[in-house]
Amino acid sequence: MCGLIGSTKHQITRNTLSSLSHRGPDSRGLWHSPDCQLGHTRLSILGLSGGAQPMSADNGRITISFNGEIYNYLELKEVLREEGVELQTGSDTEVLLNYYIVFGLDKTLEDVNGMFAFALYNWANNTLTLARDRVGIKPLFYAAEKDGITFCSEIGPIKEVLGTDKLSIDPVAVSMFFNTFYIASPNTIWNEIRSLEPGHYIDYNLQTKKLKVKKYWSLSPQKRSNRNLKEFEDLLRDSVRLRMRSDVPFGAYLSGGIDSSLIVKYMSSIDEQCSTYTAEIKDKDLNEKKYADRVAEKYKTNHTNIEVEYGEIKLSFLRKMARTFGQPFADSSIIPTYLISKKISESVAVALGGDGSDENFCGYNKYDYTDKSIQDKFFRNQDLSFLNDKYVKDTYDYMVSKLPYQTEDPQELMRLMDIRFFLEGDILQKVDRLSMANSLEVRVPFLDHRILEYANRLDYDLLFGDLRKEVPKTVLEQDFDKDFVHRNKIGFMLNVDEWIHKFDDVINQSKFLQSDLFCVTFNIEKIKSPYLKFAILMFVLWYEENYE
């Protein structure tokens, strides 16, 4: 896991690169040609003795800066060997680079199984390619100016290179944030900085300065089929196997829920010394320790319960979170997620997690609410009356227009919204920033593209029937009783209404209120929802970080 940065216009210095050191504390490198600069910070996971980046090949004609992991790199390496290519290191970066040289971009993106964002400079045709993985596990932001392009794994360094005075706030992003409490691609909080959408790549011609954004993968409408449990088990087992490839210690998040329990089931069948970690939360309504203990005992893991003490939520900590994301983000689970990631990183460098199953297999309780509209179920807030009219946009129709395909079925529409926006904009953004803030790599087996494609073929009764998440639950029933498998879902979140009111003065006294975003009659005490209050607070803290 790493951080990448580059530009065809602005100078990338070692000071700029140091702002990504948390994403890659093991090494850093800069490469430049007359037309392009690439930078890289590395967290070494595979090929510890090789794989320094940026990496060049083909007599220096092709150079790459790569963030992520190619899980099937050993299989691709064998394909290259059959083509007569002998590699010098054990890194997946060298495999990716040489696979591109031999087979080209389209086949490379088709064949790789992984989470990735990369920048690839081709000296021979004077082009720059930026690519992001199919689901958006790894981030890639860019700013396209009339005479160049700048790109990075995070927003902050691009903002520093361009200068805040040259940036303007995106009204669509503001509306999206206060509707959903996150901002999803292609938007960011800045008009001038975009987020490359999942399953897309950019082809940038350095001579003509022309930029083309192209889609290489997405879900598509499929003929529906009955469940095939063996196929699902084989896919998940293989996905876990691939994601256990590591040259450093690894473990797994274990909440005791369906998804993490299935991950641990297959991990333990591959590695008898599997290590698992559970966040022991003192709130009895959120604590699933007893369930996690049962799973750890069943699969004989080396289990650690980590007490997560919130203590007093301090303003300094929330300001740190605002800096970490680089744009407004207000999922309250950032606090327990950061703390558990920090604790796990003290023991391992890689952890597997169960994210993505609820979106794939419709595990959320909102699918039961048949009396509510999609908009009511998807948006966390719809009252934007506190905003200036210029920042109130039709977010819902905009987001629907960005879905991989259109459907008349409301449940399927809900599922596509979750996969395209909630998963990428909230869950994956949160996991990437908070794990990387602690130099921890998180891998998500349920987001193997083969599993997404499998779930997208399932009959509607298996996705939206009375038994929520029927396929994963049926598999877990092989090892646990029905009471364990079918208990109510507990979310990994923080109850903010106990403490959010103490920050009312921070909001009311902020210079942010003098901007044109809020209406002149705004007063935080009029906001009744504690989660909307939290969203406003996080926006205020982000604003102060950038404008004061």
Side-chain angles (χ1 to χ4, degrees):
M1 195 56 57
C2 311
L4 69 86
I5 188 171
S7 181
T8 66
K9 177 181 178 180
H10 300 281
Q11 184 178 11
I12 304 300
T13 67
R14 291 201 171 272
N15 285 337
T16 309
L17 199 58
S18 67
S19 64
L20 294 172
S21 60
H22 55 280
R23 298 188 71 93
D26 296 329
S27 65
R28 64 183 66 174
L30 278 173
W31 173 93
H32 64 87
S33 74
D35 299 315
C36 183
Q37 293 184 80
L38 297 177
H40 188 267
T41 62
R42 187 184 186 205
L43 175 63
S44 301
I45 303 295
L46 293 170
L48 302 185
S49 60
Q53 296 188 55
M55 180 182 289
S56 298
D58 195 21
N59 295 318
R61 286 192 285 266
I62 312 292
T63 303
I64 192 171
S65 184
F66 162 58
N67 168 30
E69 304 289 348
I70 304 301
Y71 301 124
N72 65 334
Y73 78 105
L74 293 178
E75 290 77 6
L76 300 182
K77 188 174 184 178
E78 185 59 33
V79 174
L80 288 172
R81 185 175 290 115
E82 293 173 359
E83 294 290 326
V85 179
E86 292 298 330
L87 303 180
Q88 305 303 312
T89 75
S91 77
D92 56 341
T93 305
E94 188 182 17
V95 172
L96 176 62
L97 182 56
N98 281 274
Y99 209 86
Y100 165 83
I101 292 170
V102 173
F103 296 107
L105 180 64
D106 290 343
K107 183 167 176 55
T108 298
L109 292 173
E110 179 182 347
D111 289 354
V112 295
N113 185 330
M115 56 178 182
F116 58 83
F118 65 78
L120 191 150
Y121 174 69
N122 188 326
W123 174 84
N125 57 22
N126 206 24
T127 60
L128 174 73
T129 299
L130 306 176
R132 191 178 183 196
D133 65 64
R134 295 172 176 89
V135 195
I137 304 170
K138 292 291 101 184
L140 187 53
F141 301 98
Y142 66 96
E145 301 173 87
K146 64 180 181 179
D147 53 351
I149 185 170
T150 302
F151 47 91
C152 189
S153 299
E154 297 186 359
I155 294 174
I158 301 179
K159 183 201 73 173
E160 294 303 319
V161 169
L162 270 61
T164 305
D165 59 323
K166 295 182 180 179
L167 302 177
S168 58
I169 291 177
D170 179 0
V172 174
V174 173
S175 278
M176 185 187 297
F177 172 74
F178 283 113
N179 281 144
T180 65
F181 301 165
Y182 58 83
I183 301 170
S185 67
N187 298 79
T188 77
I189 191 61
W190 306 111
N191 279 307
E192 294 78 11
I193 302 176
R194 299 289 86 183
S195 174
L196 184 59
E197 294 182 72
H200 284 68
Y201 70 89
I202 287 174
D203 182 21
Y204 183 80
N205 188 302
L206 278 78
Q207 183 173 356
T208 64
K209 313 298 182 187
K210 298 296 184 183
L211 178 151
K212 295 180 180 178
V213 180
K214 301 178 180 180
K215 179 167 62 177
Y216 70 88
W217 183 90
S218 71
L219 292 174
S220 59
Q222 299 291 322
K223 181 179 179 181
R224 298 291 164 175
S225 61
N226 291 325
R227 72 183 186 188
N228 182 331
L229 287 184
K230 184 178 184 305
E231 181 184 3
F232 171 72
E233 290 181 88
D234 289 345
L235 287 173
L236 186 56
R237 182 185 296 108
D238 190 58
S239 179
V240 169
R241 177 186 67 84
L242 291 175
R243 284 154 182 80
M244 289 176 68
R245 288 176 171 171
S246 172
D247 293 332
V248 297
F250 62 87
Y253 289 97
L254 177 58
S255 69
I258 304 301
D259 312 319
S260 63
S261 299
L262 278 175
I263 299 301
V264 171
K265 168 187 172 76
Y266 292 116
M267 287 184 71
S268 64
S269 70
I270 298 169
D271 179 7
E272 294 181 356
Q273 301 300 314
C274 172
S275 297
T276 51
Y277 302 86
T278 295
E280 184 178 349
I281 300 173
K282 293 307 179 182
D283 187 331
K284 63 179 178 19
D285 294 329
L286 301 176
N287 195 341
E288 293 189 281
K289 175 182 179 299
K290 64 179 180 180
Y291 301 112
D293 287 345
R294 282 187 61 184
V295 176
E297 181 179 3
K298 171 68 178 178
Y299 299 127
K300 298 180 173 57
T301 71
N302 298 321
H303 189 58
T304 302
N305 286 306
I306 299 173
E307 291 188 6
V308 177
E309 292 281 4
Y310 302 128
E312 181 183 1
I313 305 298
K314 296 182 178 179
L315 184 62
S316 60
F317 178 79
L318 296 178
R319 288 192 187 279
K320 179 179 181 178
M321 293 295 96
R323 289 193 298 272
T324 296
F325 285 88
Q327 64 180 343
F329 187 86
D331 183 332
S332 65
S333 66
I334 57 176
I335 298 171
T337 301
Y338 177 85
L339 295 175
I340 187 67
S341 297
K342 183 177 177 63
K343 288 287 188 179
I344 292 177
S345 69
E346 296 172 0
S347 302
V348 298
V350 177
L352 273 65
D355 296 304
S357 178
D358 283 320
E359 291 77 19
N360 263 326
F361 298 99
C362 308
Y364 294 117
N365 295 331
K366 61 187 174 184
Y367 286 94
D368 296 327
Y369 305 149
T370 57
D371 59 332
K372 292 186 177 181
S373 69
I374 301 298
Q375 193 164 336
D376 288 338
K377 290 190 285 187
F378 189 74
F379 283 167
R380 294 174 177 175
N381 168 65
Q382 294 193 67
D383 179 12
L384 302 182
S385 60
F386 56 90
L387 288 177
N388 185 313
D389 287 346
K390 69 182 277 190
Y391 292 100
V392 179
K393 304 297 180 181
D394 189 347
T395 310
Y396 179 74
D397 285 348
Y398 171 76
M399 296 173 85
V400 169
S401 73
K402 295 289 184 181
L403 294 178
Y405 59 89
Q406 300 300 309
T407 176
E408 296 297 323
D409 185 277
Q411 297 283 59
E412 176 70 353
L413 180 61
M414 180 80 254
R415 177 174 173 272
L416 292 175
M417 293 283 282
D418 276 341
I419 292 173
R420 173 59 185 84
F421 290 104
F422 180 62
L423 179 63
E424 187 257 354
D426 187 317
I427 302 300
L428 295 177
Q429 185 174 187
K430 174 183 65 181
V431 171
D432 175 81
R433 302 307 186 281
L434 300 181
S435 61
M436 285 282 83
N438 293 289
S439 299
L440 174 71
E441 174 175 302
V442 176
R443 300 175 175 181
V444 280
F446 277 105
L447 293 182
D448 188 303
H449 65 280
R450 298 170 298 171
I451 294 177
L452 272 88
E453 291 165 352
Y454 165 86
N456 211 50
R457 296 192 303 268
L458 287 176
D459 188 85
Y460 282 175
D461 288 342
L462 297 173
L463 293 172
F464 313 124
D466 293 336
L467 180 57
R468 189 69 58 235
K469 263 198 321 197
E470 179 171 334
V471 171
K473 287 180 178 179
T474 302
V475 173
L476 197 62
E477 282 181 354
Q478 298 169 0
D479 295 341
F480 294 94
D481 59 67
K482 289 184 180 295
D483 288 342
F484 179 94
V485 174
H486 297 285
R487 69 184 189 273
N488 290 333
K489 180 178 177 61
I490 299 177
F492 192 51
M493 61 186 297
L494 185 64
N495 193 354
V496 303
D497 58 357
E498 296 177 357
W499 50 266
I500 189 61
H501 61 278
K502 74 178 183 179
F503 296 111
D504 283 1
D505 287 345
V506 174
I507 297 173
N508 279 330
Q509 295 171 13
S510 174
K511 293 181 180 178
F512 171 66
L513 299 187
Q514 299 172 15
S515 72
D516 69 343
L517 271 83
F518 285 0
C519 61
V520 293
T521 59
F522 173 81
N523 187 313
I524 191 62
E525 295 174 2
K526 296 180 180 180
I527 303 297
K528 302 304 179 184
S529 165
Y531 293 97
L532 179 55
K533 272 192 177 185
F534 181 64
I536 293 171
L537 173 64
M538 294 307 293
F539 201 109
V540 165
L541 297 181
W542 168 83
Y543 187 92
E544 291 177 350
E545 281 291 322
N546 288 274
Y547 285 100
E548 296 184 12

